[in-house]
Amino acid sequence: MKTESRSLTLALSMALLLSANAAHAGAVIVAANADASTLDHAQVQQIFMAKANKVGSANAVLVYQKPGAPTRVAFDDKVLGKPGPQLTGYWSKLIFTGRAKAPLEEATDAGVVAKVASTPGAIGYVDDAAVDASVKVVFNF
Amino acid sequence: MSLKSKTLVTAVCALLLASSAHAAVDISGFGQVVVGQAGGDAALFPDSLYDDNVDWKNESLFGVQINASLNDTVSAVGQIVASGADDFEADFAWAYINFAFENGLGMKLGRQRLAFYRYSDYLDVGYAYPWIRPPSSVYTAGLRNVDGISFNYAHSFGSWNSYAQFLYGGYEGDVKVGGVVQQQKTENLMSFVWELDYDSWAFLRLSYHLPRNSVRGVALDTLVDALIADGRPELASRLATDGDTAKFFEIAGQVDLGNWFVNAEFTSRKRENAAHFSDKQDWYTSVGYRAGAFTPLLTYGHRSGDPQLEFLDEFAPNDPFYNRVRNAILKDELDDSYISAGLRWDFLSNTALKLDYTRFSSDISTRLDAHLISAGVVFSF
């Protein structure tokens, strides 16, 4: 009984750990029918920082999440390497010198999936769990 | 701002808002409120409007930008800035038609900020840089707006990103140099900018600018006019800035290690046909450390200028103009140092507090020591 409950606790904590990990795993997505294939870290960085303007053969349409959203916090930190204010400052420069247009912003993973699936050239990032058949994953973080 | 330009601002805003039914319109903005006070032996902090009174207006400003995407390629962009230094009268900093072609090529037609120094074309956007103002030893140029055409080309290879810009244009109107308004006409301006970055940790920028300037409303006018009245227009012309070509070269770099970052910028100016103006070299280097929401910074800057006294050979020592010309030339002699300690605190999203203390000292005895303490809140949306 004692051993059993111990393994149950272990199993439960492993399950919790796994789900916690899953909550922090993110995916960069494009529409399922987009001609973009797998991207590497540098390419994702260049696209989301408006240094490269193509997703496959289409003009990139960036779909960010709202500041403070957990997936955005993870993406800013792990992929772009520029947390909160640094990224806002970087975009202020681009927008107010006319180098790039402000990215679209969605409040939820579902909103990003819907926008990416329906907009040619759109690229966004979501929690792994939000990926469905309307989009395909081009990078994992 | 004249009634005419105010009407224009209103008209363009109305047009952009009305067009929103057919085009995607983005509105964004930025601003800052800065308070500062100078002290020391000098009456004014060099190249500024700060004296020993507390001032809330000199560097405070509000800006709004309207971007209307007309189609996949073309957008119309207007950026209106109201500066405290101009009593918050709104004026267009940018008003251009932007063409974003395939493959990273772009073109802008209309009014643009000149990318003279590294931070020049977004000097108003305090949120985008760490200091309360980019270092005073370098950021002294008065000309900010250009009406003309520019081309830009962005290209990436591996982790390298290159951005090149060529601009051709001119400007005619009032320009502020160190708070003093002068009438300036700039023609045939050619400006080349090239930026290269690696990943997000190394950045290099080179630029070269060739304006042809005519300037009135400066201290030198009285002397120039007196020489003309004395029947020496040729010497007056050599002394005055009247269609003189200047050559500006600039190099800037940054290494960003995530927490630590180091910034530096060097600029050199040479003037042709202007007999007396010195060649100038200005630079700064700055080191900062990001500790969570806090970014403390230390900056050292230097300006040097060698007066060209050869022009004095045109005047006999007993010439009544000899001393006046000599004094005018010597005003250009610079050997100045700036030391700054600053702090940026990103205390809320889109909002930061900045503090700065700068000490100015000069090895030229007529240039008196001064210091400037300032604080500001900057925002961007």
Side-chain angles (χ1 to χ4, degrees):
Chain A
M1 182 66 201
K2 213 169 182 185
T3 329
E4 227 168 84
S5 84
R6 194 178 289 160
S7 26
L8 187 66
T9 318
L10 193 68
L12 271 173
S13 28
M14 277 183 71
L16 276 171
L17 261 173
L18 281 172
S19 68
N21 272 340
H24 288 290
V28 173
I29 53 168
V30 297
N33 60 358
D35 62 357
S37 50
T38 311
L39 300 172
D40 64 27
H41 186 184
Q43 288 170 318
V44 171
Q45 224 176 26
Q46 283 161 343
I47 290 169
F48 277 92
M49 294 182 76
K51 290 172 178 173
N53 59 354
K54 288 278 178 188
V55 171
S57 60
N59 283 333
V61 175
L62 305 181
V63 185
Y64 269 62
Q65 298 220 9
K66 294 264 186 224
T71 317
R72 166 140 181 190
V73 173
F75 185 79
D76 288 358
D77 191 44
K78 283 202 272 185
V79 183
L80 301 185
K82 279 189 190 290
Q86 275 188 65
L87 189 63
T88 311
Y90 175 81
W91 271 100
S92 297
K93 169 194 163 177
L94 296 186
I95 292 165
F96 298 119
T97 58
R99 289 198 190 184
K101 274 191 290 191
L104 303 176
E105 272 183 7
E106 289 290 335
T108 61
D109 283 338
V112 174
V113 170
K115 182 63 91 181
V116 167
S118 61
T119 314
I123 184 165
Y125 52 82
V126 292
D127 189 296
D128 266 350
V131 174
D132 64 22
S134 67
V135 294
K136 66 179 173 189
V137 174
V138 290
F139 181 74
N140 284 295
F141 63 95
Chain B
M1 184 170 62
S2 68
L3 188 62
K4 204 174 108 190
S5 64
K6 205 171 279 178
T7 316
L8 187 65
V9 170
T10 320
V12 171
C13 290
L15 188 73
L16 287 171
L17 290 173
S19 71
S20 61
H22 310 285
V25 175
D26 285 328
I27 297 177
S28 41
F30 55 85
Q32 62 186 27
V33 173
V34 176
V35 55
Q37 184 182 27
D41 299 331
L44 283 172
F45 190 81
D47 300 309
S48 84
L49 286 168
Y50 286 110
D51 58 18
D52 57 1
N53 294 307
V54 175
D55 176 277
W56 288 86
K57 259 173 67 177
N58 287 340
E59 293 184 292
S60 298
L61 60 89
F62 287 82
V64 63
Q65 175 165 304
I66 302 171
N67 181 324
S69 297
L70 307 171
N71 52 52
D72 283 350
T73 307
V74 187
S75 50
V77 182
Q79 187 185 111
I80 298 156
V81 177
S83 296
D86 300 323
D87 253 328
F88 295 106
E89 287 194 348
D91 215 343
F92 274 103
W94 302 73
Y96 62 93
I97 302 172
N98 190 57
F99 295 78
F101 300 114
E102 302 278 311
N103 305 321
L105 190 65
M107 179 174 82
K108 290 184 176 68
L109 290 176
R111 167 155 298 185
Q112 308 161 45
R113 288 288 205 205
L114 178 59
F116 198 72
Y117 306 121
R118 177 176 173 193
Y119 297 93
S120 286
D121 56 349
Y122 56 108
L123 210 53
D124 297 328
V125 190
Y127 193 87
Y129 49 79
W131 314 271
I132 202 160
R133 69 190 71 81
S136 308
S137 56
V138 165
Y139 287 75
T140 56
L143 181 66
R144 301 206 48 206
N145 294 329
V146 174
D147 298 303
I149 182 169
S150 71
F151 298 91
N152 52 73
Y153 178 65
H155 186 66
S156 296
F157 34 102
S159 291
W160 294 90
N161 304 289
S162 151
Y163 180 86
Q165 186 196 63
F166 169 73
L167 176 145
Y168 177 82
Y171 177 78
E172 188 167 2
D174 289 349
V175 159
K176 261 190 194 149
V177 178
V180 180
V181 177
Q182 62 188 41
Q183 291 78 53
Q184 182 158 333
K185 186 174 173 187
T186 297
E187 304 160 285
N188 288 332
L189 168 67
M190 285 193 280
S191 160
F192 305 86
V193 177
W194 182 57
E195 295 180 0
L196 182 70
D197 65 61
Y198 179 76
D199 209 354
S200 54
W201 69 266
F203 171 87
L204 174 73
R205 178 188 137 114
L206 295 168
S207 78
Y208 191 58
H209 314 272
L210 291 160
R212 209 177 96 189
N213 290 327
S214 301
V215 169
R216 286 291 286 183
V218 288
L220 204 60
D221 289 354
T222 330
L223 181 54
V224 169
D225 293 343
L227 274 169
I228 293 170
D230 198 53
R232 292 190 265 186
E234 195 268 334
L235 288 178
S237 170
R238 285 179 61 188
L239 197 61
T241 304
D242 53 353
D244 300 342
T245 299
K247 294 176 180 171
F248 293 87
F249 167 76
E250 179 249 16
I251 180 167
Q254 177 167 314
V255 174
D256 191 335
L257 302 172
N259 289 119
W260 288 100
F261 58 96
V262 180
N263 256 337
E265 189 163 6
F266 167 87
T267 169
S268 128
R269 186 194 78 184
K270 284 185 197 300
R271 295 201 202 204
E272 288 180 348
N273 317 319
H276 82 293
F277 279 112
S278 62
D279 292 347
K280 287 184 171 131
Q281 289 85 37
D282 303 335
W283 61 272
Y284 69 83
T285 182
S286 203
V287 56
Y289 183 80
R290 296 188 194 94
F294 293 94
T295 308
L297 295 148
L298 283 176
T299 306
Y300 177 79
H302 191 264
R303 302 191 72 188
S304 57
D306 297 319
Q308 292 165 342
L309 287 160
E310 307 86 77
F311 182 56
L312 262 187
D313 296 345
E314 305 286 345
F315 300 84
N318 60 353
D319 189 315
F321 280 98
Y322 184 89
N323 275 324
R324 290 178 71 184
V325 172
R326 185 170 186 275
N327 288 339
I329 295 173
L330 286 176
K331 268 199 181 135
D332 254 18
E333 190 177 17
L334 301 174
D335 188 358
D336 303 345
S337 300
Y338 296 76
I339 298 174
S340 304
L343 177 72
R344 174 180 172 138
W345 176 27
D346 287 283
F347 65 104
L348 287 171
S349 60
N350 301 330
T351 319
L353 172 73
K354 294 178 178 182
L355 305 172
D356 180 85
Y357 174 79
T358 300
R359 270 189 70 88
F360 167 86
S361 59
S362 179
D363 284 349
I364 311 298
S365 57
T366 51
R367 294 175 67 74
L368 302 172
D369 290 359
H371 61 259
L372 174 62
I373 184 158
S374 41
V377 172
V378 298
F379 65 86
S380 172
F381 64 85

